[in-house]
Amino acid sequence: MLIAHVSDPHLTADGAPMHGLVDTGAALARVVAEINLLDPLPDAALVTGDLTHEGEAGAAARAAAILSALRMPWFAVPGNHDRRAAVRVACGPYPGDAAADWMAYAVEGFPLRLLALDATTDDPFRARLPRAELAWLAARLAEAPERPTLVFLHHPPFDTGIGWLDQMGIAEGRHEMGKMLRAHGCVVAVLCGHLHHPMRGTWYGVPVLAGPSAANRTVTSGHGTELAAIAVAAPPGYALHRWDETAKTFASELRFLDGHAEGWRTARPDPSP
Ligand SMILES: [Fe+2]
């Protein structure tokens, strides 16, 4: 099974450049066009949040319209820049509980079972996994203990070591989630975004892969808590993940629109004992 992993396209409602610099609609369209040229074509695409830059319904609709050009099914979760309701509406029929203040759902029918999670809140600088959502995750994992499973959400559970990013990380529920994923034993990876910079780590023994942004790339000049120096840098990119059902292996690569690929930057250590 081949999975295209798109993250953080940050569409604006009126098409204005993000930060006055990046035409995010054009960047996402280029990423979509590149994915559509892959041979073989991915079986599915996962979009790990921040479809929009400022959350408007119009921006979410613009993102969904561009993503709908993908030649494979795609599935999205909200990010801290999104408004959950707008993402639910823009991305088609929502299979989860529309009354919940989180967006989680299971996708069946592929060699990997896909579980979408959502740690966003109404505050873009605060993230948490609510108890009810963790209970939902526990129930999904319990009903298919043997199924190879891939989890995707916007926020990485690990600490990056970059203070201003970590202080808006998942404040509640990440350790509970990690223990559940480890106990299940068949979770092959957690995919996320948020960092606009590829990073990998492990969380309670499970590989965690934060993909590049489909809009831009941020480079920090320091690890402090001040959001002082971020360079908006090209090129946008995406990740490609391959699950080998026979060998039971999961392999990933990063692809950027200037034609080069690279490995992942390693994150801080796994907290699991
Ligand atoms: Fe983002």
Side-chain angles (χ1 to χ4, degrees):
M1 179 179 180
L2 200 57
I3 297 154
H5 175 187
V6 177
S7 200
D8 295 83
H10 282 251
L11 271 285
T12 55
D14 60 1
M18 178 181 68
H19 300 309
L21 292 170
V22 182
D23 183 343
T24 54
L28 180 60
R30 287 182 63 204
V31 167
V32 165
E34 291 250 336
I35 292 170
N36 280 340
L37 289 174
L38 292 171
D39 183 17
L41 208 57
D43 300 284
L46 302 181
V47 186
T48 48
D50 282 358
L51 280 72
T52 73
H53 190 53
E54 295 187 328
E56 312 94 322
R62 285 191 67 221
I66 296 169
L67 290 164
S68 294
L70 284 166
R71 296 167 57 202
M72 73 285 310
W74 59 274
F75 307 95
V77 288
N80 60 311
H81 281 256
D82 294 318
R83 289 190 206 118
R84 187 178 301 108
V87 172
R88 280 182 184 152
V89 169
C91 295
Y94 173 54
D97 178 359
D101 61 352
W102 38 273
M103 183 169 171
Y105 57 93
V107 180
E108 313 286 357
F110 294 105
L112 281 177
R113 190 179 195 216
L114 309 173
L115 296 182
L117 292 178
D118 170 17
T120 65
T121 69
D122 292 339
D123 179 350
F125 294 99
R126 179 174 157 70
R128 63 188 287 263
L129 288 161
R131 285 190 171 282
E133 185 176 2
L134 291 170
W136 178 91
L137 174 63
R140 296 294 76 72
L141 294 172
E143 71 193 7
E146 308 286 324
R147 282 289 309 277
T149 298
L150 183 67
V151 172
F152 65 110
L153 76 167
H154 181 65
H155 294 81
F158 56 62
D159 289 327
T160 63
I162 301 168
W164 63 268
L165 274 170
D166 290 341
Q167 68 187 4
M168 64 169 118
I170 303 175
E172 299 169 30
R174 61 180 179 154
H175 291 285
E176 291 84 347
M177 179 191 76
K179 289 170 187 171
M180 279 185 222
L181 301 184
R182 180 178 60 190
H184 184 266
C186 293
V187 179
V188 300
V190 175
L191 305 185
C192 45
H194 186 54
L195 308 178
H196 292 232
H197 188 82
M199 193 176 275
R200 73 178 172 197
T202 55
W203 192 243
Y204 289 85
V206 177
V208 180
L209 307 166
S213 165
N216 70 321
R217 187 161 182 178
T218 56
V219 178
T220 58
S221 65
H223 284 184
T225 54
E226 292 297 314
L227 203 157
I230 305 172
V232 178
Y238 64 97
L240 201 57
H241 308 285
R242 185 185 307 277
W243 166 247
D244 185 324
E245 178 71 4
T246 305
K248 307 294 184 204
T249 56
F250 190 80
S252 303
E253 66 175 290
L254 309 179
R255 295 188 173 206
F256 294 91
L257 292 186
D258 64 359
H260 83 271
E262 64 180 77
W264 303 73
R265 177 178 164 186
T266 301
R268 294 172 89 185
D270 190 337
S272 57

Coordinates of all heavy atoms in Angstrom, one line a residue, residues 8-91:
D8 N -0.3 20.6 5.9 CA -0.1 22.1 6.1 C -0.1 22.9 4.9 O 0.8 23.7 4.6 CB 1.2 22.3 7.0 CG 1.1 21.8 8.4 OD1 1.3 20.6 8.5 OD2 0.7 22.5 9.3
P9 N -1.1 22.8 4.0 CA -1.2 23.6 2.8 C -1.5 25.1 3.1 O -1.2 25.9 2.2 CB -2.2 22.9 1.9 CG -3.1 22.1 2.8 CD -2.2 21.7 4.0
H10 N -2.2 25.4 4.2 CA -2.5 26.8 4.6 C -3.1 27.6 3.5 O -2.6 28.7 3.2 CB -1.2 27.4 5.1 CG -0.7 27.0 6.4 ND1 -0.8 27.9 7.5 CD2 -0.3 25.8 6.9 CE1 -0.4 27.2 8.6 NE2 -0.1 26.0 8.3
L11 N -4.2 27.2 3.0 CA -4.9 28.0 2.0 C -5.6 29.2 2.6 O -6.1 29.2 3.7 CB -6.0 27.1 1.3 CG -5.7 26.3 0.1 CD1 -5.5 27.2 -1.1 CD2 -4.4 25.5 0.3
T12 N -5.6 30.3 1.9 CA -6.3 31.5 2.3 C -7.6 31.6 1.6 O -7.8 31.0 0.5 CB -5.4 32.8 2.0 OG1 -5.1 32.8 0.6 CG2 -4.2 32.8 2.8
A13 N -8.6 32.3 2.2 CA -9.9 32.3 1.6 C -9.9 33.1 0.2 O -10.6 32.7 -0.7 CB -10.9 32.9 2.5
D14 N -9.1 34.1 0.1 CA -9.2 35.0 -1.1 C -8.0 34.7 -2.0 O -7.9 35.5 -3.0 CB -9.2 36.4 -0.6 CG -8.0 36.9 0.2 OD1 -7.1 36.0 0.4 OD2 -8.0 38.0 0.6
G15 N -7.2 33.8 -1.7 CA -6.0 33.5 -2.6 C -4.9 34.4 -2.3 O -3.8 34.3 -3.0
A16 N -5.0 35.3 -1.3 CA -3.8 36.1 -1.0 C -2.6 35.3 -0.5 O -2.8 34.3 0.1 CB -4.2 37.1 0.1
P17 N -1.4 35.7 -0.8 CA -0.3 34.9 -0.4 C -0.2 34.8 1.1 O -0.4 35.8 1.8 CB 0.9 35.7 -1.0 CG 0.4 36.5 -2.0 CD -1.0 36.9 -1.6
M18 N 0.2 33.7 1.7 CA 0.4 33.5 3.1 C 1.6 34.3 3.5 O 2.6 34.3 2.9 CB 0.6 32.0 3.4 CG 0.9 31.7 4.9 SD 1.2 30.0 5.2 CE 2.7 29.7 4.4
H19 N 1.5 35.1 4.6 CA 2.5 36.0 5.1 C 2.9 36.9 4.0 O 4.1 37.5 4.1 CB 3.7 35.2 5.6 CG 3.5 34.2 6.7 ND1 2.8 34.6 7.8 CD2 3.8 32.9 6.8 CE1 2.7 33.5 8.6 NE2 3.3 32.5 8.1
G20 N 2.1 37.1 3.0 CA 2.4 38.0 1.9 C 3.5 37.5 1.0 O 4.0 38.2 0.1
L21 N 3.8 36.2 1.2 CA 5.0 35.6 0.5 C 4.7 34.4 -0.4 O 5.2 34.2 -1.5 CB 6.1 35.2 1.5 CG 6.8 36.3 2.2 CD1 7.6 35.7 3.3 CD2 7.7 37.1 1.3
V22 N 3.8 33.5 0.1 CA 3.7 32.2 -0.5 C 2.3 32.0 -1.1 O 1.3 32.2 -0.4 CB 3.9 31.1 0.5 CG1 3.8 29.7 -0.1 CG2 5.3 31.2 1.2
D23 N 2.2 31.7 -2.4 CA 1.0 31.4 -3.0 C 0.7 30.0 -2.7 O 1.1 29.0 -3.4 CB 1.1 31.6 -4.6 CG -0.2 31.4 -5.3 OD1 -1.1 30.7 -4.7 OD2 -0.3 31.8 -6.5
T24 N -0.1 29.8 -1.6 CA -0.3 28.4 -1.1 C -1.2 27.6 -2.0 O -1.0 26.4 -2.0 CB -0.8 28.5 0.4 OG1 -2.0 29.3 0.4 CG2 0.2 29.1 1.3
G25 N -2.1 28.2 -2.7 CA -3.0 27.5 -3.6 C -2.2 26.9 -4.7 O -2.3 25.7 -5.1
A26 N -1.3 27.7 -5.3 CA -0.4 27.2 -6.4 C 0.5 26.1 -5.9 O 0.7 25.1 -6.6 CB 0.4 28.4 -7.0
A27 N 1.0 26.3 -4.7 CA 1.9 25.2 -4.1 C 1.2 23.9 -4.0 O 1.7 22.8 -4.3 CB 2.5 25.7 -2.8
L28 N 0.0 24.0 -3.4 CA -0.8 22.7 -3.2 C -1.1 22.1 -4.5 O -1.0 20.9 -4.7 CB -2.0 23.0 -2.4 CG -2.9 21.7 -2.1 CD1 -2.1 20.7 -1.3 CD2 -4.1 22.1 -1.3
A29 N -1.5 22.9 -5.5 CA -1.8 22.4 -6.8 C -0.6 21.7 -7.4 O -0.8 20.6 -8.1 CB -2.3 23.5 -7.7
R30 N 0.6 22.2 -7.2 CA 1.8 21.6 -7.8 C 2.0 20.2 -7.1 O 2.4 19.2 -7.7 CB 3.0 22.5 -7.6 CG 3.0 23.7 -8.5 CD 4.3 24.5 -8.3 NE 5.5 23.8 -8.6 CZ 6.7 24.1 -8.1 NH1 6.8 25.1 -7.3 NH2 7.7 23.3 -8.4
V31 N 1.8 20.2 -5.7 CA 2.0 18.9 -5.0 C 1.0 17.9 -5.5 O 1.4 16.7 -5.7 CB 1.9 19.2 -3.5 CG1 1.8 17.9 -2.7 CG2 3.1 20.0 -3.0
V32 N -0.2 18.3 -5.7 CA -1.2 17.4 -6.1 C -0.9 16.9 -7.5 O -1.0 15.6 -7.8 CB -2.6 18.1 -6.2 CG1 -3.6 17.3 -7.0 CG2 -3.1 18.3 -4.7
A33 N -0.4 17.7 -8.4 CA 0.0 17.3 -9.8 C 1.1 16.3 -9.7 O 1.1 15.3 -10.5 CB 0.4 18.5 -10.6
E34 N 2.1 16.6 -8.8 CA 3.2 15.6 -8.7 C 2.8 14.3 -8.2 O 3.2 13.2 -8.7 CB 4.3 16.2 -7.7 CG 5.0 17.4 -8.2 CD 6.4 17.2 -8.6 OE1 7.1 16.2 -8.0 OE2 7.0 17.9 -9.4
I35 N 1.9 14.2 -7.2 CA 1.4 13.0 -6.7 C 0.7 12.2 -7.8 O 0.8 11.0 -7.9 CB 0.6 13.2 -5.5 CG1 1.4 13.7 -4.3 CG2 -0.2 11.9 -5.0 CD1 0.6 14.2 -3.1
N36 N -0.1 12.9 -8.6 CA -0.9 12.3 -9.6 C 0.0 11.7 -10.7 O -0.5 10.8 -11.5 CB -1.9 13.3 -10.3 CG -3.1 13.5 -9.4 OD1 -3.4 12.7 -8.6 ND2 -3.8 14.6 -9.6
L37 N 1.2 12.1 -10.8 CA 2.1 11.5 -11.8 C 2.9 10.3 -11.3 O 3.6 9.7 -12.1 CB 3.2 12.6 -12.3 CG 2.6 13.8 -13.1 CD1 3.7 14.8 -13.3 CD2 2.1 13.3 -14.4
L38 N 2.8 10.0 -10.0 CA 3.5 8.8 -9.5 C 3.0 7.5 -10.1 O 1.8 7.4 -10.4 CB 3.3 8.8 -8.0 CG 3.9 9.9 -7.2 CD1 3.5 9.8 -5.7 CD2 5.5 9.9 -7.3
D39 N 4.0 6.7 -10.3 CA 3.7 5.3 -10.9 C 4.4 4.3 -10.1 O 5.7 4.2 -10.2 CB 4.1 5.3 -12.4 CG 3.7 4.0 -13.1 OD1 2.9 3.2 -12.5 OD2 4.3 3.7 -14.1
P40 N 3.8 3.5 -9.4 CA 2.3 3.4 -9.3 C 1.7 4.5 -8.5 O 2.4 5.2 -7.7 CB 2.1 2.1 -8.5 CG 3.3 1.9 -7.7 CD 4.4 2.5 -8.5
L41 N 0.4 4.8 -8.7 CA -0.3 5.8 -8.0 C -0.5 5.4 -6.6 O -0.8 4.2 -6.3 CB -1.6 5.9 -8.7 CG -2.4 7.3 -8.7 CD1 -1.5 8.4 -9.3 CD2 -3.7 7.1 -9.5
P42 N -0.4 6.3 -5.6 CA -0.7 5.9 -4.3 C -2.1 5.4 -4.1 O -3.0 5.8 -4.9 CB -0.5 7.2 -3.5 CG 0.5 8.0 -4.3 CD 0.1 7.7 -5.7
D43 N -2.4 4.6 -3.1 CA -3.7 4.0 -2.9 C -4.6 5.1 -2.2 O -5.8 5.0 -2.3 CB -3.6 2.8 -2.0 CG -2.8 1.7 -2.7 OD1 -3.3 1.1 -3.6 OD2 -1.6 1.5 -2.4
A44 N -3.9 5.9 -1.4 CA -4.7 6.9 -0.6 C -3.7 8.1 -0.3 O -2.5 7.9 -0.3 CB -5.2 6.3 0.7
A45 N -4.4 9.2 0.0 CA -3.6 10.4 0.4 C -4.1 10.8 1.8 O -5.4 10.8 2.0 CB -3.7 11.5 -0.6
L46 N -3.2 11.1 2.7 CA -3.6 11.6 4.0 C -3.2 13.1 4.2 O -2.0 13.4 3.9 CB -3.0 10.7 5.1 CG -3.4 9.2 5.0 CD1 -2.8 8.5 6.2 CD2 -4.9 9.1 5.1
V47 N -4.1 13.9 4.7 CA -3.8 15.3 4.8 C -3.8 15.7 6.3 O -4.8 15.6 6.9 CB -4.8 16.2 4.1 CG1 -4.4 17.7 4.1 CG2 -5.0 15.7 2.6
T48 N -2.6 15.9 6.9 CA -2.5 16.0 8.3 C -2.6 17.5 8.8 O -1.7 18.0 9.5 CB -1.1 15.4 8.8 OG1 -0.1 15.9 8.0 CG2 -1.2 13.9 8.7
G49 N -3.7 18.1 8.4 CA -4.1 19.4 9.0 C -3.5 20.7 8.5 O -2.7 20.7 7.6
D50 N -4.1 21.8 9.0 CA -3.8 23.1 8.5 C -4.1 23.2 7.0 O -3.3 23.7 6.2 CB -2.4 23.6 8.8 CG -2.2 24.0 10.3 OD1 -3.2 24.0 11.0 OD2 -1.1 24.4 10.7
L51 N -5.3 22.8 6.7 CA -5.8 23.0 5.3 C -5.9 24.5 5.0 O -5.7 24.9 3.9 CB -7.1 22.3 5.1 CG -7.1 20.8 4.8 CD1 -6.8 20.0 6.1 CD2 -8.5 20.3 4.3
T52 N -6.2 25.2 6.1 CA -6.3 26.7 5.9 C -5.3 27.4 6.8 O -4.7 26.9 7.7 CB -7.7 27.1 6.4 OG1 -7.8 27.0 7.9 CG2 -8.8 26.2 5.9
H53 N -5.1 28.7 6.4 CA -4.2 29.5 7.2 C -5.0 30.2 8.3 O -4.4 30.4 9.4 CB -3.6 30.6 6.3 CG -2.5 31.3 7.0 ND1 -1.4 30.7 7.6 CD2 -2.2 32.7 7.1 CE1 -0.6 31.6 8.1 NE2 -1.1 32.8 7.8
E54 N -6.2 30.6 8.1 CA -7.0 31.3 9.1 C -8.4 30.7 9.4 O -9.2 31.4 10.0 CB -7.1 32.8 8.8 CG -5.7 33.5 8.8 CD -5.8 35.0 8.6 OE1 -6.7 35.4 7.8 OE2 -4.9 35.7 9.1
G55 N -8.6 29.5 8.9 CA -9.8 28.8 9.3 C -11.1 29.0 8.6 O -12.1 28.3 8.8
E56 N -11.2 30.0 7.7 CA -12.4 30.3 7.1 C -13.0 29.1 6.2 O -12.2 28.3 5.7 CB -12.3 31.5 6.1 CG -11.6 32.7 6.7 CD -10.1 32.7 6.3 OE1 -9.5 31.6 6.3 OE2 -9.6 33.8 6.0
A57 N -14.3 29.1 6.2 CA -15.0 28.0 5.4 C -14.5 28.1 3.9 O -14.3 27.1 3.2 CB -16.5 28.1 5.5
G58 N -14.4 29.3 3.4 CA -14.0 29.5 2.0 C -12.6 29.0 1.8 O -12.3 28.4 0.7
A59 N -11.7 29.1 2.7 CA -10.3 28.6 2.6 C -10.3 27.1 2.6 O -9.6 26.4 1.8 CB -9.4 29.2 3.7
A60 N -11.1 26.5 3.5 CA -11.2 25.0 3.5 C -11.8 24.5 2.2 O -11.4 23.5 1.7 CB -12.1 24.6 4.7
A61 N -12.8 25.2 1.7 CA -13.4 24.8 0.4 C -12.4 24.9 -0.7 O -12.3 24.0 -1.6 CB -14.6 25.7 0.1
R62 N -11.5 25.9 -0.7 CA -10.5 26.0 -1.7 C -9.5 24.9 -1.6 O -9.1 24.3 -2.6 CB -9.7 27.3 -1.6 CG -10.4 28.6 -2.1 CD -9.5 29.8 -2.1 NE -8.5 29.6 -3.2 CZ -7.2 29.9 -3.0 NH1 -6.7 30.4 -1.9 NH2 -6.3 29.7 -4.0
A63 N -9.1 24.5 -0.4 CA -8.2 23.4 -0.2 C -8.8 22.1 -0.7 O -8.2 21.3 -1.4 CB -7.8 23.3 1.3
A64 N -10.1 21.9 -0.3 CA -10.8 20.6 -0.7 C -10.9 20.6 -2.2 O -10.8 19.5 -2.8 CB -12.1 20.6 0.0
A65 N -11.2 21.7 -2.9 CA -11.3 21.7 -4.3 C -10.0 21.3 -5.0 O -10.0 20.5 -6.0 CB -11.7 23.1 -4.8
I66 N -8.9 21.8 -4.5 CA -7.6 21.4 -5.1 C -7.3 20.0 -4.8 O -6.8 19.2 -5.7 CB -6.5 22.4 -4.6 CG1 -6.8 23.8 -5.0 CG2 -5.1 21.9 -5.0 CD1 -5.9 24.9 -4.4
L67 N -7.5 19.5 -3.5 CA -7.2 18.1 -3.2 C -8.1 17.2 -3.9 O -7.7 16.0 -4.2 CB -7.4 18.0 -1.6 CG -6.4 18.6 -0.8 CD1 -6.9 18.7 0.7 CD2 -5.0 17.9 -0.8
S68 N -9.3 17.6 -4.3 CA -10.2 16.7 -5.0 C -9.7 16.4 -6.4 O -10.2 15.4 -7.1 CB -11.6 17.3 -5.1 OG -12.1 17.4 -3.8
A69 N -8.6 17.0 -6.9 CA -8.0 16.6 -8.2 C -7.1 15.4 -8.0 O -6.7 14.8 -9.0 CB -7.2 17.8 -8.7
L70 N -6.8 15.0 -6.7 CA -6.1 13.8 -6.5 C -6.8 12.6 -7.2 O -8.0 12.5 -7.0 CB -5.9 13.5 -5.0 CG -4.8 14.4 -4.3 CD1 -5.0 14.3 -2.8 CD2 -3.4 14.0 -4.7
R71 N -6.0 11.7 -7.8 CA -6.6 10.5 -8.4 C -6.7 9.3 -7.5 O -6.8 8.2 -8.0 CB -5.7 10.2 -9.6 CG -5.7 11.3 -10.7 CD -4.6 11.0 -11.7 NE -4.7 9.7 -12.4 CZ -3.7 9.1 -12.9 NH1 -2.5 9.6 -12.9 NH2 -3.9 7.9 -13.5
M72 N -6.7 9.6 -6.2 CA -6.9 8.5 -5.2 C -7.8 9.1 -4.1 O -7.8 10.3 -3.9 CB -5.6 8.0 -4.7 CG -4.8 8.9 -3.8 SD -3.9 10.3 -4.5 CE -3.0 9.7 -5.9
P73 N -8.4 8.3 -3.3 CA -9.2 8.8 -2.1 C -8.2 9.6 -1.2 O -7.1 9.2 -1.0 CB -9.7 7.6 -1.5 CG -9.5 6.4 -2.4 CD -8.4 6.8 -3.3
W74 N -8.7 10.6 -0.6 CA -7.9 11.4 0.4 C -8.8 11.6 1.6 O -10.0 11.7 1.6 CB -7.4 12.7 -0.2 CG -8.4 13.6 -0.7 CD1 -9.0 13.7 -1.9 CD2 -9.0 14.7 0.0 NE1 -9.9 14.7 -2.0 CE2 -10.0 15.3 -0.9 CE3 -8.9 15.2 1.3 CZ2 -10.7 16.5 -0.5 CZ3 -9.6 16.4 1.7 CH2 -10.5 16.9 0.8
F75 N -8.0 11.7 2.8 CA -8.7 11.8 4.1 C -7.9 12.9 4.9 O -6.7 12.9 4.9 CB -8.6 10.5 4.8 CG -9.2 9.4 4.0 CD1 -8.4 8.5 3.2 CD2 -10.6 9.1 3.9 CE1 -8.9 7.5 2.4 CE2 -11.1 8.1 3.1 CZ -10.3 7.3 2.4
A76 N -8.7 13.7 5.6 CA -8.0 14.9 6.2 C -8.4 15.0 7.7 O -9.5 14.4 8.1 CB -8.4 16.2 5.5
V77 N -7.6 15.6 8.5 CA -7.9 16.0 9.9 C -7.6 17.5 10.0 O -6.8 18.0 9.2 CB -7.0 15.2 10.9 CG1 -7.5 13.7 10.9 CG2 -5.5 15.2 10.5
P78 N -8.2 18.1 11.0 CA -7.9 19.6 11.1 C -6.6 19.8 11.8 O -6.1 18.9 12.6 CB -9.1 20.0 12.0 CG -9.5 18.8 12.8 CD -9.2 17.7 11.9
G79 N -6.0 21.0 11.6 CA -4.8 21.5 12.3 C -5.2 22.7 13.2 O -6.3 23.1 13.2
N80 N -4.2 23.2 13.9 CA -4.5 24.3 14.8 C -4.8 25.6 14.1 O -5.4 26.5 14.7 CB -3.3 24.5 15.7 CG -2.0 24.9 15.0 OD1 -1.6 24.2 14.0 ND2 -1.3 25.9 15.4
H81 N -4.6 25.7 12.8 CA -5.0 26.9 12.0 C -6.4 26.7 11.5 O -7.0 27.7 11.0 CB -4.1 27.2 10.8 CG -2.8 27.8 11.2 ND1 -2.5 29.2 11.0 CD2 -1.7 27.4 11.9 CE1 -1.3 29.5 11.4 NE2 -0.8 28.4 12.0
D82 N -7.0 25.5 11.5 CA -8.3 25.3 11.0 C -9.4 25.5 12.0 O -9.2 25.5 13.2 CB -8.4 23.8 10.5 CG -7.4 23.5 9.3 OD1 -7.4 24.3 8.4 OD2 -6.8 22.4 9.4
R83 N -10.6 25.6 11.5 CA -11.8 25.4 12.3 C -12.4 24.1 11.9 O -12.7 23.8 10.8 CB -12.8 26.6 12.1 CG -12.3 27.9 12.7 CD -13.3 29.0 12.7 NE -12.7 30.3 12.6 CZ -12.8 31.2 11.7 NH1 -13.7 30.9 10.6 NH2 -12.2 32.3 11.7
R84 N -12.6 23.3 12.9 CA -13.0 21.9 12.7 C -14.2 21.8 11.8 O -14.3 20.9 10.9 CB -13.2 21.2 14.1 CG -13.4 19.7 14.0 CD -13.6 19.1 15.4 NE -12.4 19.3 16.2 CZ -12.4 20.1 17.2 NH1 -13.5 20.8 17.6 NH2 -11.3 20.3 17.9
A85 N -15.2 22.6 12.1 CA -16.5 22.5 11.4 C -16.3 22.8 9.9 O -16.9 22.1 9.1 CB -17.5 23.5 12.0
A86 N -15.4 23.7 9.6 CA -15.2 24.0 8.2 C -14.5 22.9 7.5 O -14.8 22.6 6.3 CB -14.3 25.3 8.1
V87 N -13.6 22.2 8.2 CA -12.9 21.1 7.6 C -13.9 19.9 7.4 O -13.9 19.3 6.3 CB -11.7 20.6 8.5 CG1 -11.1 19.3 8.0 CG2 -10.7 21.7 8.5
R88 N -14.8 19.7 8.4 CA -15.8 18.6 8.2 C -16.6 18.8 7.0 O -16.9 17.9 6.2 CB -16.6 18.5 9.4 CG -16.0 17.8 10.6 CD -17.0 17.8 11.7 NE -16.5 17.2 12.9 CZ -16.9 17.5 14.2 NH1 -17.8 18.4 14.4 NH2 -16.3 16.8 15.2
V89 N -17.1 20.1 6.8 CA -18.0 20.4 5.7 C -17.3 20.3 4.4 O -17.8 19.7 3.4 CB -18.6 21.8 5.9 CG1 -19.3 22.2 4.6 CG2 -19.5 21.8 7.1
A90 N -16.0 20.8 4.3 CA -15.3 20.9 3.0 C -14.9 19.5 2.6 O -14.8 19.3 1.4 CB -14.1 21.8 3.2
C91 N -14.6 18.6 3.5 CA -14.0 17.3 3.1 C -15.1 16.2 2.9 O -14.7 15.0 2.8 CB -13.0 16.9 4.2 SG -11.6 18.0 4.2

